[in-house]
Amino acid sequence: MGGAVSAGEDNDELIDNLKEAQYIRTELVEQAFRAIDRADYYLEEFKDNAYKDLAWKHGNIHLSAPCIYSEVMEALDLQPGLSFLNLGSGTGYLSSMVGLILGPFGVNHGVELHSDVIEYAKQKLDFFIKTSDSFDKFEFCEPSFVIGNCLEISPDCTQYDRVYCGAGVQKEHEEYMKNLLKVGGILVMPLEEKLTKITRTGPSAWETKKILAVSFAPLIQPNHADSGKSRLVHLPPVAVRSLQDLARIAIRGTIKKIIHQETMSKTGNGLKNPPRFKRRRVRRRRMETIVFLDKEVFASRISSPSDDNNNSEEIEEEKHEEEETKPSELKPDPPVNFLREKVLSLPLPDPLKYYLLYYREK
């Protein structure tokens, strides 16, 4: 499902549209969405659809619509240092965005039913860490994925600050999901066709809020027909960072502060980031709603009354703007990775420099 916002031509335009439609409302969520290109999580032959506000499924690989993910991210109210559990972690797209907010001292775990999807998620995670232009702007809480049915998590597992379930939850499993939460924690899940936010306010006290109507495939029930025994899912241990990791985090943090201070002294202002290149105008497009039902797809289009009347005028106006726009204005300068440049300039042995840069290719 999806289609709440217009299609974008690239990841930034998709995020602009989600902001304009009030699906993305906070700076932390916006930064995470801009940092990870949704198209990187698509198979190559399907990337043309990456910036449409639609769900995508191919075999066991699945991505929810961008408007759904943005509502989930906002509802989770993520903060650095929290623990997060993603039930049905899929491609790892959502877990990676969450990891950018949790930072180096958070916990980021995922449970996925299909082994091929876990392998796909690990490949995409590795690609993001090694090649993303935006990786060095954050300290990342790398997600860990385990295989298994999320309805068979070991009862002795730790509880989490934030939990998300990416499949439809039946009423009979509501208490099971709630018990995964710490007091003060937030659970977001599709419950009885509604994306629902549940906050644990006490040992036996809860606050429930319905966010929006959704249609998710239901959770797959455990099948014990073969062995007759439950296959408990054991989540990764909450490990303490090594001294080596802590040193890297501290050094990178210090270098970022130095770069920020140098930037402020040169520019005379406190901008956190240089202004992002933005397109001149947002062209309104017709909204599409796609509903998946088993293997059939039903589509409907909804257009506002003013769309057809103004469409020809908008096209002419856009043509006029394009004629007036100079080629130099169309292409922004490529982003500069100041952290990488600073690390490479340090009087350190090359192996240590590469370690500080996570052995990244860019």
Side-chain angles (χ1 to χ4, degrees), residues 135-204:
F135 177 83
D136 285 325
K137 296 178 182 177
F138 301 84
E139 290 301 338
F140 187 46
C141 182
E142 186 173 332
S144 298
F145 306 113
V146 297
I147 187 170
N149 190 306
C150 64
L151 292 175
E152 295 184 299
I153 293 175
S154 175
D156 61 356
C157 79
T158 184
Q159 292 177 316
Y160 291 79
D161 297 302
R162 301 291 186 268
V163 178
Y164 171 65
C165 181
V169 178
Q170 301 300 316
K171 192 68 176 176
E172 62 192 89
H173 297 303
E174 181 179 356
E175 290 302 316
Y176 171 89
M177 295 293 177
K178 287 179 177 179
N179 288 330
L180 297 171
L181 273 187
K182 294 179 180 178
V183 173
I186 295 173
L187 164 66
V188 178
M189 62 181 176
L191 180 64
E192 297 183 317
E193 304 298 314
K194 296 285 192 305
L195 189 64
T196 305
K197 175 181 179 179
I198 299 176
T199 304
R200 187 168 195 171
T201 58
S204 302

Side-chain angles (χ1 to χ4, degrees), residues 229-327:
K229 296 181 180 179
S230 174
R231 299 168 183 168
L232 289 181
V233 176
H234 296 280
L235 297 170
V238 179
V240 177
R241 287 274 192 176
S242 69
L243 182 59
Q244 189 172 340
D245 272 351
L246 293 173
R248 173 163 62 183
I249 293 165
I251 293 170
R252 283 169 61 92
T254 300
I255 293 173
K256 286 180 181 179
K257 289 179 181 177
I258 292 172
I259 293 171
H260 180 64
Q261 290 169 357
E262 290 176 349
T263 302
M264 288 183 64
S265 64
K266 288 178 181 178
T267 61
N269 60 50
L271 288 177
K272 295 181 181 178
N273 294 302
R276 190 180 63 81
F277 173 80
K278 293 185 179 180
R279 65 193 191 286
R280 289 175 63 88
R281 83 184 259 115
V282 177
R283 179 181 173 185
R284 300 284 186 177
R285 293 181 174 88
R286 292 181 176 182
M287 297 195 305
E288 295 182 352
T289 300
I290 306 296
V291 179
F292 292 90
L293 183 59
D294 294 330
K295 296 183 178 180
E296 298 184 14
V297 180
F298 298 87
S300 63
R301 294 179 182 270
I302 305 172
S303 59
S304 67
S306 60
D307 283 348
D308 293 333
N309 296 334
N310 297 333
N311 190 48
S312 59
E313 294 178 9
E314 287 184 354
I315 292 173
E316 290 300 321
E317 190 175 341
E318 286 176 358
K319 285 182 179 179
H320 183 65
E321 286 181 352
E322 289 173 1
E323 290 172 358
E324 292 181 346
T325 304
K326 297 178 181 179

Side-chain angles (χ1 to χ4, degrees), residues 39-47 56 58 61 120 124:
D40 290 341
Y41 288 78
Y42 274 66
L43 294 171
E44 193 65 36
E45 60 267 34
F46 299 102
K47 285 191 174 183
W56 172 65
H58 182 78
I61 302 170
Y120 185 86
K124 295 304 180 183

